[in-house]
Amino acid sequence: MTARGVLVFGIVDDGQLRPATAELIGAGKALADDGAGPLTVALLGAVTDAHGEAVDRAGVEEILLVSSPEPSFEAHVAEAALAALIESRRPSVVLAGHTVDSLGFAPALAARAGLGFATDVSGIGWGEDGASARRGAYAERLTAELDFPGRETVLLLLREGAFEPATAAGSAPVSRLDLDLAGAARTELVERRTPPAGDVDITTADFLLSIGRGVEDEEQVAKLEEIAAKIGATLSVSRPLVDAGWVPSDRQVGQSGRTVAPKVYLALGISGAVQHLAGISAAKTIIAVNSDPDAPIFAAAHYGAVADLFEVATELQQQLG
Amino acid sequence: MKVLVPVKSVAQIDGEPLLDGAAEVSPDLLEWRLNEWDEFALEAALRLVEGDGGEVVVVTVGQEEAEEGLLACLAKGADRAVRIWDPALAGADPLAVAGLLARLATEEQPDLILGGVQSSDSGNAATAVALAGLLDLPRVAVVAGIELDGDQLTVERELDGGAIEVLRLRTPALLTVQTGINEPRYATLRAIKQAKAKPLATLGPAELGTDAAAALALAGSRTVALAMPERGEGATMIDGPPSAIAGRIAEIVTAEVGS
Ligand SMILES: Cc1cc2nc3c(=O)[nH]c(=O)nc-3n(C[C@H](O)[C@H](O)[C@H](O)COP(=O)(O)OP(=O)(O)OC[C@H]3O[C@@H](n4cnc5c(N)ncnc54)[C@H](O)[C@@H]3O)c2cc1C
Ligand SMILES: Nc1ncnc2c1ncn2[C@@H]1O[C@H](COP(=O)(O)O)[C@@H](O)[C@H]1O
């Protein structure tokens, strides 16, 4: 397999570069070290020289700044920009983040341009047959090893937090690349809204008792909230309880909720989906109680118990209340 | 107005899979249900059509077990269902599935396509947006609100941390629908019985002008092997009856947080 290099595609949105871009560079450097060819970083958005400096890490050979006609991320503009980059550079591997932004353009580009493609990738490799990737299967109960036979370029969306960020400073040349992106946008931005602040701030709590879909019905939520209060914990939840309208969104932990950093995170009846785990990586001690011994949360937790959440909660109330 | 809703029957493993380097799980161990996200997409489609009139068509690329999911959609109010299948398509990746869906969509010419953000078993979050790419449709992924006025869509795109971006675009378009956007309805017993009388077509690749090999050639990846995940260090497990588990948790909490 000819090694034509690795391209990291980073997005600058409203002036901000996503912190996980350093992880993409770390992963790209590992591929380059394994023989995939030189590592290039391209940034799209309202890019400044400071953004270029921020991605100048050891192992990066070239940095390209691509100005977008839109001040904030627009999916069709991103698709056109990455299509043009791939067309002109023909890299062997393109790395981008598995983010809500990427979900709006990467699959469309992959289908249209006939790329090798995988999303939510947590492991990558480069060998004689080109790129390989690892991702979850069957709701994370298994992992799947993928390859990309016959694909000249492989686009991989990497799971945030799964790769070591590149930290050592580099000295790559930075240049601006003019791409004709005028007219590429197909959506018009009306406004952005930040979530309203709620009555409770779960982000500063030391002890979170967090409940998930395992509670099954709304009546149980009030009971568990009472137990939380008695044992000195603040109640937080996984997304389905907010979706169902049982609990206000300021209690939601995860990618689309809050990022929390308690001393103890006690998860009851939460399976441990990646978007939930994204919110608890800063928790000091994670304890998971789940009736399913194969629940993925046990891989992320420090302590686990296979048990009925109600029985454990009731006992906890007696012992800590 | 016609809304096309691609839906997936997702598989859950019930039992211990024997892998040994296999790229598939034995079908005997799989249980099927309709993808959670697709329930919200269907509900959004039904509400749009109830407001403006028109038709909701659900389509799946899936084996026979997927018919149950289609019947559930028909019972909830979808007008027609289409199942696309060929045994050779087992293991088709999102791009291959999108290629088949694109052929059907080209015949159906919907005004709007509403998919789910992702499927709960494979979590690709790819198939619907790949379909938009093949059809060259404007699209928005991870949508938490939809308003339609003529051919103008105003949608809420969900960003990280609960932030929202309000976007305008024109139909025909494709959206991927996020959970919580609405409250999916339940079908009545009567509707469940009547669903069997609604049109449910089964098409092979040939009826869409292609064949399984050509459809699979669009795949962006190949699954070489499945394995049990490396669990890292994993959790220290607390055994015993609930009282003992609670006792140990209480100790940890007291040590970490103070009493
Ligand atoms: C873009 C995007 C953003 C998202 N953002 C978030 C987010 O911010 N936060 C979030 O949480 N999710 C988020 N999700 C959803 C996420 O993918 C999962 O669907 C969700 O986290 C599942 O919640 P859960 O674990 O409570 O439910 P489930 O996955 O249904 O798990 C319920 C668990 O309860 C266990 N259980 C059942 N009964 C009992 C019992 N009696 N005792 C003990 N255990 C029991 C079951 O074994 C199971 O493991 C997001 C998804 C997407 C696509
Ligand atoms: N086999 C399939 N048949 C029809 N639609 C599908 C299929 N697989 C995925 N989809 C659609 O694509 C969305 C995202 O699924 P995925 O890309 O598998 O995460 C789903 O919510 C469905 O709307």
Side-chain angles (χ1 to χ4, degrees):
Chain A
M1 182 61 71
T2 32
R4 291 176 317 275
V6 181
L7 176 75
V8 164
F9 188 61
I11 287 162
V12 173
D13 176 47
D14 270 349
Q16 299 288 319
L17 183 68
R18 242 184 131 81
T21 310
E23 295 169 18
L24 301 177
I25 297 171
K29 180 171 184 304
L31 288 179
D33 290 346
D34 284 344
L39 174 61
T40 303
V41 178
L43 298 180
L44 171 72
V47 279
T48 64
D49 293 345
H51 296 124
E53 277 163 37
V55 295
D56 191 2
R57 300 289 156 83
V60 178
E61 306 267 332
E62 188 186 9
I63 295 166
L64 300 171
L65 303 181
V66 182
S67 289
S68 167
E70 305 291 320
S72 56
F73 170 82
E74 205 281 339
H76 307 78
V77 170
E79 183 186 343
L82 185 52
L85 281 162
I86 292 174
E87 177 100 6
S88 66
R89 309 227 149 206
R90 310 219 158 268
S92 297
V93 184
V94 180
L95 302 177
H98 185 76
T99 63
V100 287
D101 287 349
S102 293
L103 300 188
F105 72 91
L109 172 62
R112 249 210 280 225
L115 308 179
F117 184 56
T119 59
D120 198 15
V121 167
S122 54
I124 53 173
W126 177 266
E128 267 172 28
D129 299 328
S132 58
R134 186 181 334 117
R135 71 188 310 284
Y138 296 95
E140 306 279 326
R141 264 202 72 182
L142 302 177
T143 56
E145 299 292 337
L146 308 179
D147 68 3
F148 310 92
R151 297 296 173 191
E152 194 184 333
T153 297
V154 177
L155 170 57
L156 302 175
L157 303 187
L158 305 189
R159 174 179 285 196
E160 294 199 337
F163 296 87
E164 280 301 316
T167 47
S171 56
V174 183
S175 54
R176 293 209 169 242
L177 185 69
D178 268 326
L179 296 177
D180 182 17
L181 300 171
R186 294 174 84 180
T187 62
E188 179 201 336
L189 178 62
V190 180
E191 60 164 336
R192 276 195 182 171
R193 295 198 300 259
T194 46
D199 321 332
V200 183
D201 185 3
I202 60 171
T203 65
T204 54
D206 272 347
F207 180 16
L208 286 173
L209 185 152
S210 205
I211 57 176
R213 184 145 49 192
V215 302
E216 275 172 19
D217 71 86
E218 189 171 5
E219 277 162 40
Q220 300 296 341
V221 175
K223 275 192 209 157
L224 286 156
E225 184 164 19
E226 221 171 274
I227 294 179
K230 286 203 179 122
I231 65 173
T234 303
L235 187 84
S236 60
V237 301
S238 68
R239 179 168 178 135
L241 277 64
V242 175
D243 286 343
W246 297 349
V247 180
S249 62
D250 55 342
R251 302 271 187 161
Q252 181 188 321
V253 173
Q255 181 188 325
S256 55
R258 304 285 199 265
T259 301
V260 297
K263 289 178 178 154
V264 174
Y265 188 77
L266 175 57
L268 305 181
I270 294 176
S271 63
V274 57
Q275 297 93 356
H276 187 82
L277 299 180
I280 59 173
S281 57
K284 186 159 170 264
T285 302
I286 299 169
I287 311 172
V289 177
N290 198 303
S291 49
D292 173 8
D294 294 315
I297 189 128
F298 290 128
H302 304 97
Y303 296 93
V306 178
D308 179 76
L309 75 93
F310 300 107
E311 291 179 12
V312 173
T314 311
E315 284 289 339
L316 255 185
Q317 178 181 6
Q318 283 164 18
Q319 300 192 25
L320 265 182
Chain B
M1 138 123 180
K2 189 196 273 190
V3 186
L4 183 67
V5 183
V7 299
K8 180 180 176 188
S9 285
V10 294
Q12 200 184 332
I13 299 179
D14 186 27
E16 279 309 313
L18 260 179
L19 293 171
D20 262 344
E24 284 169 36
V25 172
S26 156
D28 308 345
L29 291 180
L30 299 180
E31 279 183 0
W32 301 90
R33 54 165 295 189
L34 197 66
N35 180 30
E36 183 183 356
W37 276 265
D38 301 346
E39 308 255 12
F40 291 91
L42 174 66
E43 180 65 35
L46 293 172
R47 289 185 190 190
L48 286 172
V49 165
E50 277 161 8
D52 287 0
E55 192 186 23
V56 174
V57 181
V58 290
V59 54
T60 198
V61 176
Q63 69 290 53
E64 212 176 326
E65 286 88 343
E67 277 198 8
E68 218 170 297
L70 293 181
L71 284 171
C73 295
L74 292 171
K76 288 185 179 195
D79 298 284
R80 276 191 296 127
V82 179
R83 183 169 71 89
I84 301 170
W85 193 240
D86 182 294
L89 295 174
D93 92 322
L95 300 193
V97 171
L100 289 161
L101 294 173
R103 286 177 177 267
L104 184 83
T106 304
E107 277 180 21
E108 292 279 350
Q109 291 291 317
D111 301 288
L112 186 62
I113 303 179
L114 297 180
V117 170
Q118 66 175 23
S119 54
S120 58
D121 55 352
S122 39
N124 298 305
T127 311
V129 173
L131 172 62
L134 293 173
L135 298 171
D136 196 20
L137 288 178
R139 92 300 304 206
V140 179
V142 197
V143 166
I146 304 172
E147 270 176 50
L148 181 66
D149 183 5
D151 70 347
Q152 170 134 315
L153 276 166
T154 306
V155 304
E156 294 184 357
R157 179 168 86 96
E158 185 182 283
L159 310 179
D160 287 352
I164 289 290
E165 182 172 271
V166 181
L167 296 169
R168 285 217 181 97
L169 69 161
R170 298 209 173 270
T171 59
L174 180 146
L175 308 175
T176 74
V177 173
Q178 175 64 307
T179 58
I181 187 176
N182 51 39
E183 208 180 306
R185 70 194 65 188
Y186 290 98
T188 62
L189 274 175
R190 214 176 118 207
I192 292 172
K193 280 189 197 140
Q194 286 169 346
K196 296 201 178 84
K198 287 188 174 179
L200 194 168
T202 307
L203 305 180
E207 282 144 299
L208 294 167
T210 183
D211 58 61
L216 286 170
L218 298 177
S221 70
R222 176 175 71 174
T223 300
V224 183
L226 294 172
M228 297 303 279
E230 284 171 38
R231 290 293 196 204
E233 282 172 31
T236 304
M237 298 308 282
I238 309 169
D239 298 320
S243 58
I245 294 168
R248 183 75 188 102
I249 294 173
E251 277 171 24
I252 298 165
V253 170
T254 308
E256 295 282 342
V257 188
S259 50

